[in-house]
Amino acid sequence: MTEQTQLRQWGRQVIDIEKAALDNLYQYVDSDEFGQACELILECKGKVIVMGMGKSGHIGNKISATLASTGTPAFFVHPGEASHGDLGALAKNDIILAISNSGEASEILTLMPVIQRMGVPVIAITGKPESNMAKLSKLHLCIEVPEEACPLGLAPTSSTTATLVMGDALAVALLQAKGFTRDDFALSHPGGSLGRKLLLKVSDVMHKGADIPQVKSELCITETLYEISNKGLGMTAVIDNADKLVGIFTDGDLRRVIDAEVNLRTTAIADVMTTNCITISPGILAAQALQIMEEKSINGLIVVDENQRPVGALNMLDMVKAGVI
């Protein structure tokens, strides 16, 4: 059985080789071609069509997804399928981003005459500046690496890492050039946890109407406990006769009251509630409400309107259910 020390050493060698490949990539990002490629994509009125075969195709899929999610409309087209009808997705105002480490992917080269006839510009990403793909393209981004991390020099490793990073460099440079914001990002990620954190508001998460735990200030502690138990949030708002919030009573307050041996049936909740409690408005992001709860070490919040009347309530469990945590 191979020694674990040897396995760790081989793993570190891979990282060292790929780090060297990324250091080598600086010169290609610093080239005029990188800036020109960004400008060409920024001026594009259509979409960026990404193509690649094999491992380059897998990397291309990720690059197209990153571009699309950061404000540059893009999608991946398999070059093998493109020659059998999928090239119909290509329009004259689009751009091709063609990926091949060798620059000799026959499936892509077969498409070049048709692409050129349509007048669609091609940005090639290859490790061979002298390759046919590089020569036939409008622009060429080099991702040549000193060596692959595979000791056989066969499995794409350093080259695929360099290609992925080049794609990220393009996507992020374009993002910043377009002034793409967190709100823009959220709109393209509504179903994920990132989107929920950036889009969900307190009003989308809070308990409303009859589900809001609230009692009048003159009620005794025992009656208040019924409200807390029925609503299941571990707390209740305490309101005055004008329905304005005057305090909050929580499970933690109950423990302190019991320790003080207060009469639960005769003591008014107004005498033991927490006044000047922390509140939030329904319009803020749920993620902000979560941050407040974490900073103040509290488990729930009362949501109030501009007149300090409770319009909602939420606790940490609601954040979990909504996917904010």
Side-chain angles (χ1 to χ4, degrees):
M1 182 176 178
T2 305
E3 290 280 348
Q4 286 196 14
T5 301
Q6 181 65 72
L7 294 170
R8 288 194 292 268
Q9 182 179 347
W10 288 336
R12 290 182 64 86
Q13 286 175 351
V14 170
I15 295 172
D16 289 339
I17 292 171
E18 297 205 13
K19 281 171 62 178
L22 294 183
D23 286 338
N24 190 61
L25 201 62
Y26 279 115
Q27 60 182 310
Y28 305 129
V29 174
D30 287 340
S31 68
D32 291 339
E33 285 80 4
F34 182 84
Q36 291 168 5
C38 289
E39 289 174 350
L40 188 63
I41 296 173
L42 285 170
E43 294 168 1
C44 177
K45 303 300 182 183
K47 301 171 291 297
V48 176
I49 311 299
V50 184
M51 292 184 178
M53 285 296 298
K55 303 299 187 296
S56 293
H58 296 311
I59 297 299
N61 253 310
K62 195 278 179 182
I63 291 174
S64 69
T66 301
L67 286 167
S69 68
T70 53
T72 300
F75 63 87
F76 180 82
V77 172
H78 192 286
E81 299 294 337
S83 62
H84 294 280
D86 283 6
L87 198 62
L90 182 66
K92 290 185 177 181
N93 56 354
D94 292 336
I95 288 176
I96 296 283
L97 188 63
I99 303 170
S100 169
N101 185 43
S102 68
E104 302 296 343
S106 58
E107 294 85 354
I108 295 178
L109 290 173
T110 299
L111 300 172
M112 292 299 267
V114 179
I115 294 171
Q116 290 176 333
R117 188 179 304 169
M118 292 180 65
V120 174
V122 177
I123 301 171
I125 298 180
T126 85
K128 307 291 182 182
E130 70 282 1
S131 65
N132 282 312
M133 268 180 56
K135 292 175 181 177
L136 292 171
S137 299
K138 182 178 181 68
L139 291 170
H140 175 248
L141 297 178
C142 188
I143 45 88
E144 185 176 5
V145 297
E147 61 178 316
E148 296 286 6
C150 167
L152 303 176
L154 299 175
T157 45
S158 302
S159 59
T160 49
T161 299
T163 305
L164 182 62
V165 172
M166 179 63 80
D168 286 343
L170 277 173
V172 175
L174 293 167
L175 174 153
Q176 296 192 80
K178 292 181 177 185
F180 195 76
T181 67
R182 289 171 61 89
D183 289 340
D184 295 326
F185 189 86
L187 290 174
S188 60
H189 295 76
S193 60
L194 289 173
R196 287 192 289 274
K197 289 180 180 179
L198 295 172
L199 289 176
L200 271 185
K201 294 186 177 181
V202 166
S203 57
D204 300 318
V205 179
M206 69 185 190
H207 298 263
K208 308 171 185 177
D211 293 327
I212 303 172
Q214 55 185 347
V215 298
K216 296 289 187 179
S217 57
E218 64 267 18
L219 260 62
C220 70
I221 299 174
T222 301
E223 292 173 306
T224 300
L225 295 181
Y226 291 145
E227 179 71 359
I228 294 176
S229 178
N230 288 336
K231 299 301 172 62
L233 294 181
M235 64 179 181
T236 183
V238 183
I239 56 176
D240 61 17
N241 290 328
D243 293 334
K244 290 187 177 182
L245 184 72
V246 292
I248 189 173
F249 190 78
T250 69
D251 287 341
D253 294 322
L254 175 61
R255 287 190 291 272
R256 287 186 286 272
V257 164
I258 292 175
D259 289 341
E261 298 183 353
V262 172
N263 191 312
L264 304 183
R265 295 184 180 278
T266 60
T267 304
I269 197 64
D271 296 332
V272 292
M273 68 184 183
T274 299
T275 58
N276 299 318
C277 56
I278 300 167
T279 61
I280 54 173
S281 65
I284 72 169
L285 290 174
Q288 290 177 272
L290 173 62
Q291 183 179 0
I292 291 170
M293 285 191 279
E294 290 176 338
E295 289 176 352
K296 303 297 182 181
S297 298
I298 55 179
N299 192 50
L301 287 166
I302 302 298
V303 186
V304 297
D305 62 15
E306 62 275 9
N307 296 314
Q308 289 301 298
R309 292 188 176 91
V311 293
L314 53 81
N315 64 10
M316 201 66 78
L317 183 58
D318 295 318
M319 297 295 190
V320 174
K321 290 179 178 177
V324 180
I325 297 178

